[in-house]
Amino acid sequence: MFIDSHCHLDRLKLDPYEGDVSKAVEAAFANGVSGILSVCIDLEHFQSVLDMTRFDNVWASVGVHPLDLDGQVPSVETLKQLSDHPKVVAIGETGLDYYYSKDHKQQQQEWFAMQLTAAAEQRLPIIVHTRDAREDTLNLIAVHGSPESAGVMHCFTESWDMAKKAMDMNFYISFSGIVTFKNADELREVARKVPLDRILIETDSPYLAPVPFRGKSNEPKYVPEVGKFIAELKGVSVEALAEHTTNNFFTLFNKAAQ
């Protein structure tokens, strides 16, 4: 059984399910998924994300994505208050994205620092989005983050050097369907090197559907495809990969195990 450690349940394309998100969750659980983390990207829609936790074995996060800078400011106190909910198990998705938004570096850094601080004070892991911002991402984590609660580099597409430096700060590395894409040779090499006790898997749905579903809308029921692909890549059984990634999920997001 696999856990989808990062998806956006409130944003799924629900046409195949007659608009009913509960059917999408049921489809995932029927396809070998045992848990789902529904991730927040702005505070305006936090309640929609939290609503998804009405399902058993579905948890939530609270945070603001680095490309969502026009909404409510993610103050430390607000994040701490919202993350007190028993099914909110992480802060984020936050981080830095200089690929799409070079003009707002300072604001991204300030908001990332606030969310790192909130996570450290709440002793919750942080979910990090990083693109074309390796040095600044790692530096801000080193200054404002907590090696005890740590976090995850989600939907990882960066170098082995960055993965290693993140793991040295007690972070996990999460792979999405991108690892199955034809042009992802460098990323596959990173996945081969990341130890089993540091790997998570995710869909990041409704985006980035894995092969053989690439081009379709993604959903949590496809996370086993990512797990099976990485198991073959690393030369381990699917069962072993599932066991490791599930244990890693509950070790990192330990509030979900309570």
Side-chain angles (χ1 to χ4, degrees), residues 197-218:
D197 64 357
R198 285 285 140 184
I199 285 183
L200 292 174
I201 57 173
E202 62 174 274
T203 60
D204 200 15
S205 51
Y207 320 106
L208 306 172
V211 175
F213 303 103
R214 189 173 183 186
K216 297 182 178 180
S217 180
N218 203 3

Side-chain angles (χ1 to χ4, degrees), residues 16-211:
Y17 302 107
E18 301 171 324
D20 187 348
V21 70
S22 68
K23 293 181 179 179
V25 173
E26 289 169 6
F29 289 161
N31 197 45
V33 177
S34 60
I36 298 169
L37 178 53
S38 186
V39 174
C40 178
I41 62 170
D42 62 59
L43 298 183
E44 287 73 18
H45 295 93
F46 169 67
Q47 190 58 52
S48 297
V49 175
L50 189 62
D51 286 347
M52 298 299 141
T53 66
R54 67 185 184 273
F55 305 113
D56 291 340
N57 296 322
V58 175
W59 303 275
S61 72
V62 58
V64 178
H65 192 284
L67 298 178
D68 284 85
L69 304 176
D70 295 327
Q72 184 180 340
V73 178
S75 73
V76 172
E77 288 309 312
T78 296
L79 291 168
K80 289 172 67 174
Q81 180 183 359
L82 295 176
S83 64
D84 277 337
H85 189 283
K87 293 199 80 173
V88 174
V89 300
I91 303 291
E93 161 181 11
T94 178
L96 302 174
D97 192 318
Y98 297 167
Y99 181 84
Y100 283 112
S101 183
K102 289 182 179 179
D103 297 333
H104 300 91
K105 285 186 178 182
Q106 184 174 350
Q107 185 181 354
Q108 286 190 39
Q109 291 172 15
E110 290 172 355
W111 287 27
F112 185 26
M114 282 193 290
Q115 292 174 86
L116 283 163
T117 299
E121 292 185 6
Q122 288 291 85
R123 298 182 180 179
L124 289 175
I126 190 110
I127 300 169
V128 176
H129 168 112
T130 181
R131 193 164 183 192
D132 285 4
R134 296 175 186 179
E135 186 175 347
D136 285 350
T137 298
L138 293 170
N139 286 343
L140 283 166
I141 290 170
V143 172
H144 300 282
S146 164
E148 285 75 34
S149 51
V152 57
M153 295 290 177
H154 111 87
C155 194
F156 194 75
T157 57
E158 302 292 339
S159 66
W160 166 243
D161 180 65
M162 184 178 191
K164 188 175 184 304
K165 287 176 178 176
M167 289 187 290
D168 287 344
M169 292 191 287
N170 204 25
F171 269 66
Y172 290 75
I173 309 297
S174 182
F175 296 97
S176 69
I178 293 175
V179 76
T180 71
F181 294 177
K182 288 183 179 179
N183 62 350
D185 289 339
E186 183 180 347
L187 183 61
R188 282 189 279 277
E189 194 56 39
V190 174
R192 288 187 185 97
K193 292 180 178 179
V194 173
L196 284 170
D197 64 357
R198 285 285 140 184
I199 285 183
L200 292 174
I201 57 173
E202 62 174 274
T203 60
D204 200 15
S205 51
Y207 320 106
L208 306 172
V211 175

